[in-house]
């Protein structure tokens, strides 16, 4: 004989289609004068989702708008030993009761508006037979079925050890069958729901802390402390993640001074955002530092970095842009290599800030298997400031339209800021803030920007 499926008498929209009309589960007169629900009997204080149609609107018990609590009872006791005269939530509103005689039926009735589950631990789980060693198999099944719901375990009075084990497995609390009353159950339901919410909040907090720790580790890998001991050059940098970024993106940079007195600086950007791209950026930055100390530069260095990228990337379509500058020990000349990256900006003494030449640049790393990256000699002069940046600095919008700041807009902005006397950290901070303001809020892409200054005679 098929198991009857209970039906709420006046079905709210959230429950429509979840239950169907069926004969009442128990036509025996309830012990306390209320309609019986699978062994539960209740007075008018608690609305019940049953197959019996008594003309009472269960939806009106919670105002018909989804407020109040709903309890799903999973229990098949035919003797009706559970008698609950009244269930009220903390606001004094009746708690709705929905019942299921087995776990298969419970799965049909477990909708989002259910707040708590009361499970009889004696209930057999699907696929189990009498004598199975695991006495909590039904509870484990429910916890897998409803990971976001509060669960109360119901056990016999002489089986407190089983109840305690149920809590260790994942239930919010356990109750003794013979001591159950409306006041106790109402309080237990409210406690279980609030404890589940607190557990969820604590889990989210823990996840946020883990993300913050991962973010910090990635930041240390992507944005390291420069190794410039003994160099007269001054270094400054800023990094700002894009909007709604849970993790850093693929922007990275580094600056080192080799034993011959030359200063090497680079900045790059792995396409995409997230932990995989950030991890690849860390690998490329560390590889660049190791290859630079080994004496590689220009095309030889970039070709080797491309091999690293090709072996480490998760997808063949992932690429990275890169800009490298190696400054001679006297600080007056530099070699420039561009791999699909925007050219740096230089501000020389007595001249307007301008972009370094970019006509001889090569493709981004990872696009062409046998690409070449020519190294171009650049005269820097005696006193200068060199700014390297990722495309997040120039791709922000201007105003309400689709117009972007672009490199020309960035050059004009930096010229104006230098003319006002800004330099070093103050210049970078002003540039990043103005780009954000022009965009009307946080930028979509990450922004990394660094500045090297040479001022002869200054400490």
């Amino acid at each position: 004989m098929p198991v009857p499926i209970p039906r709420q008498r006046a079905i709210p929209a959230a429950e429509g289609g979840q239950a169907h009309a069926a004969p009442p589960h128990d036509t025996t007169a309830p012990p306390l004068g209320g309609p019986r629900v699978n062994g539960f009997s209740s007075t008018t204080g608690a609305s019940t989702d049953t197959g019996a149609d008594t003309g009472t609107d269960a939806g009106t018990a919670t105002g018909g708008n989804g407020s109040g609590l709903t309890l799903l009872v999973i229990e098949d006791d035919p003797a009706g030993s559970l008698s609950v005269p009244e269930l009220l939530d903390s606001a004094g509103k009746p708690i709705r009761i929905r019942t299921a005689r087995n776990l298969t039926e419970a799965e049909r009735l477990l909708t989002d508006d259910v707040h708590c589950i009361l499970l009889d631990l004696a209930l057999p789980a699907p696929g189990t037979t009498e004598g199975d060693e695991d006495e909590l198999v039904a509870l484990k099944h429910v916890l897998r079925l409803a990971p976001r719901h509060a669960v109360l375990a119901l056990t016999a009075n002489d089986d407190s050890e089983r109840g305690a084990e149920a809590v260790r497995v994942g239930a919010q609390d356990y109750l003794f069958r013979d001591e159950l009353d409306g006041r106790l159950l109402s309080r237990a339901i409210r406690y279980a729901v609030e404890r589940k919410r607190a557990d969820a909040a604590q889990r989210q907090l823990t996840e946020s802390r883990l993300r913050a720790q991962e973010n910090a580790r990635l930041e240390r890998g992507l944005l390291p402390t420069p190794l410039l001991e003994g160099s007269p050059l001054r270094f400054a940098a800023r990094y700002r993640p894009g909007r709604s970024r849970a993790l850093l993106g693929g922007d990275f940079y580094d600056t080192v001074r080799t034993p011959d007195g030359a200063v090497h600086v680079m900045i790059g950007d792995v396409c995409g955002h997230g932990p995989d791209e950030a991890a690849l950026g860390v690998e490329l930055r560390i590889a660049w530092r190791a290859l630079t100390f080994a004496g590689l530069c220009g095309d030889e260095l970039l070709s080797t970095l491309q091999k690293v990228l090709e072996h480490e990337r998760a997808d063949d379509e992932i690429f990275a842009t890169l800009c490298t500058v190696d400054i001679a020990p006297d600080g007056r000349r530099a070699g420039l290599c561009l791999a699909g990256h925007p050219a740096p900006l230089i501000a020389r003494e007595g001249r307007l800030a301008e972009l370094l030449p970019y006509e001889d640049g090569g493709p981004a790393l990872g696009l062409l298997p046998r690409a070449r990256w020519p190294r171009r000699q650049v005269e820097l002069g005696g006193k200068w400031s060199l700014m390297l940046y990722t495309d997040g600095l120039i791709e922000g919008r201007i105003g309400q339209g689709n117009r972007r700041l672009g490199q020309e807009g960035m050059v004009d902005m930096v010229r104006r800021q230098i003319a006002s006397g800004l330099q070093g950290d103050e210049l970078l901070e002003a540039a990043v803030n103005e780009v954000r303001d022009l965009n009307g809020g946080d930028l979509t892409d990450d922004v990394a920007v660094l500045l090297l200054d040479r001022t002869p005679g200054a400490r």
Side-chain angles (χ1 to χ4, degrees):
M1 179 176 180
V3 176
I5 301 175
R7 176 180 62 84
Q8 182 174 315
R9 288 181 292 279
I11 303 176
E15 298 170 14
Q18 295 296 325
H20 307 281
H25 288 162
D26 192 343
T27 56
T28 309
L32 293 177
R36 172 166 294 176
V37 184
N38 272 8
F40 271 84
S41 63
S42 63
T43 64
T44 57
S47 63
T48 58
D49 293 2
T50 70
D53 189 355
T54 61
T56 303
D57 187 353
T60 60
T62 58
N65 57 5
S67 60
L69 296 176
T70 300
L71 174 70
L72 175 61
V73 180
I74 310 176
E75 190 266 341
D76 66 347
D77 178 24
S81 59
L82 297 176
S83 177
V84 182
E86 185 176 41
L87 295 179
L88 299 176
D89 63 16
S90 57
K93 297 179 180 179
I95 297 176
R96 294 183 298 176
I97 299 176
R98 189 178 299 174
T99 63
R101 293 181 180 177
N102 53 58
L103 296 178
T104 301
E105 187 175 321
E107 186 171 357
R108 299 192 193 104
L109 299 175
L110 187 61
T111 53
D112 290 338
D113 59 334
V114 172
H115 300 86
C116 185
I117 299 171
L118 178 64
L119 172 69
D120 186 355
L121 294 181
L123 191 73
T128 60
T129 57
E130 188 175 354
D132 280 348
E133 294 183 2
D134 191 351
E135 296 180 336
L136 300 178
V137 62
L139 174 62
K140 295 176 181 178
H141 183 88
V142 169
L143 293 174
R144 288 193 301 269
L145 186 66
R148 296 187 300 273
H149 292 73
V151 177
L152 292 170
L154 192 63
T155 187
N157 281 25
D158 57 352
D159 204 359
S160 58
E161 183 176 343
R162 189 179 184 185
E165 181 64 23
V167 173
R168 285 192 290 270
V169 168
Q172 273 60 60
D173 203 351
Y174 71 93
L175 302 169
F176 292 127
R177 174 185 293 271
D178 295 339
E179 297 180 0
L180 200 63
D181 60 28
R183 183 178 178 183
L184 174 64
L185 182 55
S186 297
R187 185 171 65 247
I189 293 171
R190 296 196 300 269
Y191 167 77
V193 170
E194 292 304 320
R195 181 176 178 183
K196 188 66 177 181
R197 289 173 179 167
D199 290 344
Q202 181 62 40
R203 183 172 61 253
Q204 291 175 355
L205 179 60
T206 301
E207 291 173 354
S208 297
R209 288 174 177 169
L210 291 175
R211 282 196 299 269
Q213 293 172 3
E214 184 176 2
N215 212 4
R217 288 195 298 270
L218 289 172
E219 184 174 355
R220 288 194 297 270
L222 289 166
L223 318 175
T225 302
L227 299 179
L228 289 175
E229 185 176 357
S231 172
L233 301 183
R234 295 183 305 174
F235 175 87
R238 286 292 182 276
Y239 174 85
R240 184 166 294 181
R243 181 171 57 244
S244 303
R245 187 83 66 245
L247 293 168
L248 293 174
D251 292 10
F252 56 97
Y253 61 74
D254 203 355
T255 306
V256 298
R257 181 176 183 264
T258 49
D260 61 358
V263 171
H264 305 261
V265 57
M266 71 88 161
I267 193 166
D269 184 3
V270 177
C271 69
H273 304 283
D276 292 337
E277 289 76 10
L280 182 56
V282 173
E283 291 178 284
L284 292 175
R285 185 202 63 77
I286 294 174
W288 176 87
R289 177 175 281 199
L291 294 170
T292 298
F293 279 123
L296 275 68
C297 67
D299 180 76
E300 186 179 12
L301 185 149
L302 291 175
S303 297
T304 307
L305 284 179
Q306 173 157 281
K307 292 178 182 178
V308 173
L309 182 145
E310 290 172 345
H311 285 90
E312 297 297 332
R313 62 186 176 183
D315 190 295
D316 290 342
E317 295 185 358
I318 292 178
F319 62 90
T321 66
L322 198 69
C323 169
T324 69
V325 179
D326 52 280
I327 303 168
D330 63 6
R332 302 184 66 89
R333 302 177 312 280
L336 170 66
C337 286
L338 295 175
H341 201 88
L345 180 147
I346 186 167
R348 301 179 178 93
E349 186 177 23
R351 297 168 59 178
L352 292 175
E354 60 182 350
L355 297 174
L356 288 179
Y358 55 86
E359 291 81 2
D360 295 333
L365 303 181
L367 292 183
L368 300 177
R370 289 176 294 275
R372 288 294 177 261
W373 295 271
R375 179 175 176 271
R376 180 167 186 148
Q377 280 292 122
V378 178
E379 292 296 326
L380 300 178
K383 182 179 180 180
W384 47 263
S385 295
L386 185 66
M387 189 175 82
L388 286 71
Y389 53 92
T390 56
D391 58 7
L393 188 69
I394 59 177
E395 291 186 347
R397 299 179 185 275
I398 300 178
Q400 300 298 321
N402 293 324
R403 184 185 170 195
R404 306 284 179 172
L405 176 64
Q407 287 181 291
E408 293 183 1
M410 178 200 67
V411 172
D412 292 339
M413 176 187 69
V414 174
R415 285 175 177 175
R416 176 170 28 84
Q417 292 168 344
I418 292 176
S420 68
L422 296 178
Q423 58 182 340
D425 286 293
E426 292 180 350
L427 176 61
L428 294 188
E429 188 70 19
V432 173
N433 287 339
E434 183 167 341
V435 168
R436 179 188 179 278
D437 293 341
L438 290 172
N439 188 64
D442 290 336
L443 298 163
T444 303
D445 201 2
D446 305 318
V447 175
V449 56
L450 59 88
L451 191 69
L452 282 174
D453 289 321
R454 182 178 189 267
T455 305
R459 294 188 59 180

